[in-house]
Amino acid sequence: MPSLLAGALYLIHTPKGHTVSPTTPSTQPLHRRRLWSLAATATVAAMLLAGCAQADPAPSDDTPTAGGTLTYGRLASANDLDLHTQITANNAFAIDKIFESLVSFDESGQIIDWLAESHEISDDGLVYSFTLREGLKYSDGTDLQAADVKFSLERNIEKQGPIMLTAPIASIETDEEARTVVITLAEPYTPFLSELTGFAAGVLPSDFGGKSEEEFFQSPIGTGPWVVSEWDPSGDLTFVKNEHYWQEGKPLLDSLVYTFIADDNQLLQRLSAGQIDAIETVPAANAAEVDSNEATTLISGDSWAIEQIFFNTQKPEFADVHVRRAIAHALDLEGITQATTFGTARAATSLIPPSIAYSAADAGFELGYDVDAAKQELAESGYPDGFTATLLIASGNASRAQIAQIVQESLAQIGITIEIESIDLAAFRERFRAFDYDFMLNSGQSDSPDPNGLVTFQADPEGFSNSYWTHYTNDEVTALMHEGRTTPDGPEREQIYLDIQRILAEEVPYIPVYYSSTLHGTTSKVHGLEGLPNASIRFQDAWIEE
């Protein structure tokens, strides 16, 4: 299931490449690259896209130093730690430090065993058998039981939250002595293992360890490397190390502090001044600066995120497919990407990014920049003389503000007048979730490595988000979506997702603008951070030079 990023959603649920089995752990570390120095012009920025990459790891002769506190700057505070009711990244990337799942994924997006030391899938794709690691404990020192896994997964389904398991689970059987959890499906469901990698599939104690739900989630107990110490839901969150963590000797740090800083420029300023140790988001305009500064380090990599323009199809103008197609033709996505991401991103051409299997990024389905075609589409719409609409954005994001201005200028050329409304992040989320907007800038973000996640979140009219709050419905897409869930990985399943992306490109319920890179920043004294393609970071190997 996807998740909403800082201004967006932390989305939903596939393998890194078409030829790699989604159940095969990666045997190679994700290649770490360096951003080249970026020239000021957009042309040069585009040439530098291939140079956008991950920062070099700490030299091999550096000896990790245990202890200390790492202060991590974030654009939004964590205000709810219930893993089964949350979706936005501000909460998701705190929850995943506390709760862990049977399986997870590595830096390259390959599924790996986590709380389970091994797993098997029956030949008919119906039975998933997991063997838990020996000696697993919660942060309070109590033993994790196989029954806790059953309780947690059943609660996930019962809550019917934004990242609910959608696999047709027929039964969950446990054996404490054998440390096994056996999940049987009523029918094959190909994305199931991928769904189990998400933070919402995390394990918590049965019956909340004897506490009420409300009491438990004020100070939650999990198997993760971090334990909540102090928490202000409208401010900072302090973690301390889990002394009972199953990865021996980890985490290396004594504590981890999530500090709330509402503006990305302030994040950068405080990092550069050494007032904080790391930041969740480096503005694209400053990526080269962070990378070239001896006092800071850029950590960048491929992601499962897409910056997008979303249409509220309940609005008469945007219910008209010709209007949406006109807008898609009117926007120079290459130019927007170059101007706003400084070579750190790739212009989008499909819903599914190339870092996820079955992407149509190179299929040529996109409508393409063509002002004459845009005018022709608008002429064929119910609004040939244009109209006025409001573009909603979250404040505090310089890149989105710039995109909004470009959209405003571009649509003026075809007779559409755009007013930009910039509001704080909390209000922004309330507005679009209530369908109180015309169209908006936001991010789609898969939180697990299967294409079903993004498709479900952005094209399922009966899903939690109602097609990502666009109210878009297409019966053919819905049928293909269900077919893709039961079709085994391979050419037939690939064709299903290519067909879905083709239809979405033609009907344009949203416009993918660019495929984002993960851009995290640290001071040069920080080492061992592991960036993940869902934009989260693992801190258990992190350490700070004395």
Side-chain angles (χ1 to χ4, degrees):
M1 174 76 185
S3 310
L4 301 169
L5 288 182
L9 297 167
Y10 175 82
L11 287 195
I12 346 183
H13 329 285
T14 185
K16 175 70 171 174
H18 296 184
T19 61
V20 180
S21 166
T23 61
T24 304
S26 172
T27 56
Q28 297 292 330
L30 185 63
H31 180 58
R32 295 183 176 273
R33 301 157 287 171
R34 277 279 183 182
L35 277 175
W36 297 351
S37 297
L38 303 181
T41 66
T43 301
V44 175
M47 295 172 61
L48 292 172
L49 177 58
C52 172
Q54 295 203 355
D56 295 333
S60 57
D61 58 351
D62 282 357
T63 302
T65 302
T69 297
L70 189 149
T71 302
Y72 187 56
R74 308 184 78 208
L75 288 170
S77 57
N79 57 29
D80 195 317
L81 299 178
D82 188 337
L83 69 171
H84 297 142
T85 65
Q86 297 306 301
I87 187 171
T88 53
N90 61 311
N91 293 325
F93 299 157
I95 290 170
D96 67 5
K97 307 302 179 286
I98 303 166
F99 303 105
E100 297 180 313
S101 47
L102 293 170
V103 287
S104 186
F105 48 83
D106 63 14
E107 285 181 304
S108 61
Q110 298 304 307
I111 296 177
I112 54 177
D113 289 307
W114 204 250
L115 291 184
E117 66 180 14
S118 64
H119 71 271
E120 296 180 359
I121 305 173
S122 62
D123 292 340
D124 60 7
L126 295 178
V127 182
Y128 289 69
S129 302
F130 299 90
T131 300
L132 298 173
R133 297 181 186 275
E134 189 171 3
L136 289 172
K137 292 182 180 295
Y138 292 107
S139 56
D140 64 354
T142 58
D143 294 331
L144 181 144
Q145 304 291 330
D148 297 340
V149 179
K150 176 181 172 70
F151 170 81
S152 302
L153 298 183
E154 289 179 343
R155 182 178 187 265
N156 173 293
I157 298 169
E158 177 188 345
K159 280 290 184 180
Q160 296 189 338
I163 314 185
M164 183 183 74
L165 294 172
T166 53
I169 297 175
S171 67
I172 303 175
E173 299 177 356
T174 63
D175 185 326
E176 299 297 348
E177 185 174 351
R179 308 194 314 279
T180 58
V181 178
V182 179
I183 305 172
T184 302
L185 307 183
E187 63 179 0
Y189 187 86
T190 305
F192 183 47
L193 196 68
S194 177
E195 285 190 3
L196 289 176
T197 67
F199 74 90
V203 179
L204 64 155
S206 297
D207 300 319
F208 313 104
K211 299 179 180 179
S212 68
E213 288 191 31
E214 182 178 0
E215 184 182 11
F216 178 83
F217 286 110
Q218 289 300 314
S219 184
I221 300 300
T223 64
W226 302 102
V227 185
V228 174
S229 174
E230 298 178 22
W231 176 29
D232 176 359
S234 61
D236 296 351
L237 170 61
T238 299
F239 295 105
V240 294
K241 67 186 297 182
N242 177 1
E243 299 288 352
H244 303 281
Y245 192 48
W246 59 272
Q247 293 189 33
E248 187 176 356
K250 300 177 184 179
L252 296 173
L253 296 165
D254 289 332
S255 57
L256 169 66
V257 177
Y258 279 5
T259 187
F260 170 44
I261 303 169
D263 181 83
D264 53 9
N265 287 319
Q266 291 182 33
L267 277 177
L268 183 66
Q269 291 169 8
R270 292 186 62 178
L271 177 72
S272 299
Q275 296 172 346
I276 54 179
D277 302 301
I279 58 175
E280 187 171 47
T281 304
V282 173
N286 304 104
E289 173 191 345
V290 172
D291 189 57
S292 61
N293 189 335
E294 291 185 359
T296 56
T297 300
L298 180 72
I299 302 175
S300 174
D302 294 335
S303 82
W304 297 334
I306 320 103
E307 192 74 6
Q308 299 177 71
I309 297 169
F310 293 88
F311 298 105
N312 181 358
T313 63
Q314 291 182 320
K315 299 292 182 180
E317 296 87 349
F318 296 128
D320 191 323
V321 66
H322 291 293
V323 168
R324 302 195 304 264
R325 288 174 61 87
I327 292 174
H329 275 307
L331 299 179
D332 178 5
L333 300 185
E334 286 283 355
I336 290 173
T337 302
Q338 293 169 9
T340 61
T341 72
F342 300 84
T344 66
R346 170 183 170 179
T349 49
S350 66
L351 171 61
I352 300 173
S355 54
I356 291 179
Y358 312 141
S359 169
D362 299 316
F365 295 152
E366 70 276 14
L367 293 180
Y369 176 50
D370 187 333
V371 176
D372 290 336
K375 292 178 179 178
Q376 180 61 37
E377 287 283 355
L378 195 63
E380 295 177 19
S381 77
Y383 305 89
D385 298 324
F387 57 91
T388 298
T390 300
L391 177 59
L392 186 68
I393 64 173
S395 59
N397 186 312
S399 177
R400 285 197 183 146
Q402 187 178 4
I403 294 172
Q405 292 174 358
I406 296 173
V407 170
Q408 183 182 55
E409 294 167 2
S410 299
L411 298 191
Q413 298 180 49
I414 63 171
I416 299 176
T417 300
I418 298 302
E419 298 173 354
I420 300 170
E421 183 179 7
S422 178
I423 59 178
D424 72 83
L425 184 55
F428 174 76
R429 288 172 174 160
E430 289 180 3
R431 286 275 300 277
F432 73 73
R433 287 176 169 178
F435 287 93
D436 183 15
Y437 76 101
D438 294 342
F439 69 140
M440 67 172 173
L441 287 173
N442 212 335
S443 292
Q445 163 75 58
S446 184
D447 66 2
S448 58
D450 188 277
N452 175 67
L454 276 169
V455 170
T456 295
F457 200 68
Q458 294 201 195
D460 186 354
E462 298 181 352
F464 165 81
S465 68
N466 201 321
S467 299
Y468 207 120
W469 294 277
T470 64
H471 216 273
Y472 169 74
T473 301
N474 180 293
D475 292 341
E476 184 179 0
V477 169
T478 301
L480 286 168
M481 176 185 68
H482 288 289
E483 188 179 351
R485 294 171 180 172
T486 59
T487 304
D489 275 312
E492 184 179 353
R493 190 169 191 241
E494 178 177 21
Q495 188 59 52
I496 290 169
Y497 287 102
L498 290 177
D499 288 344
I500 289 173
Q501 291 169 90
R502 174 183 52 78
I503 295 169
L504 294 177
E506 292 171 352
E507 297 202 339
V508 206
Y510 23 74
I511 301 174
V513 178
Y514 59 75
Y515 304 122
S516 306
S517 293
T518 58
L519 297 172
H520 308 289
T522 74
T523 67
S524 58
K525 293 186 176 182
V526 174
H527 305 278
L529 293 185
E530 181 184 10
L532 299 175
N534 68 344
S536 187
I537 277 191
R538 288 197 176 114
F539 290 95
Q540 55 260 43
D541 292 312
W543 58 281
I544 302 177
E545 293 178 25
E546 291 182 346

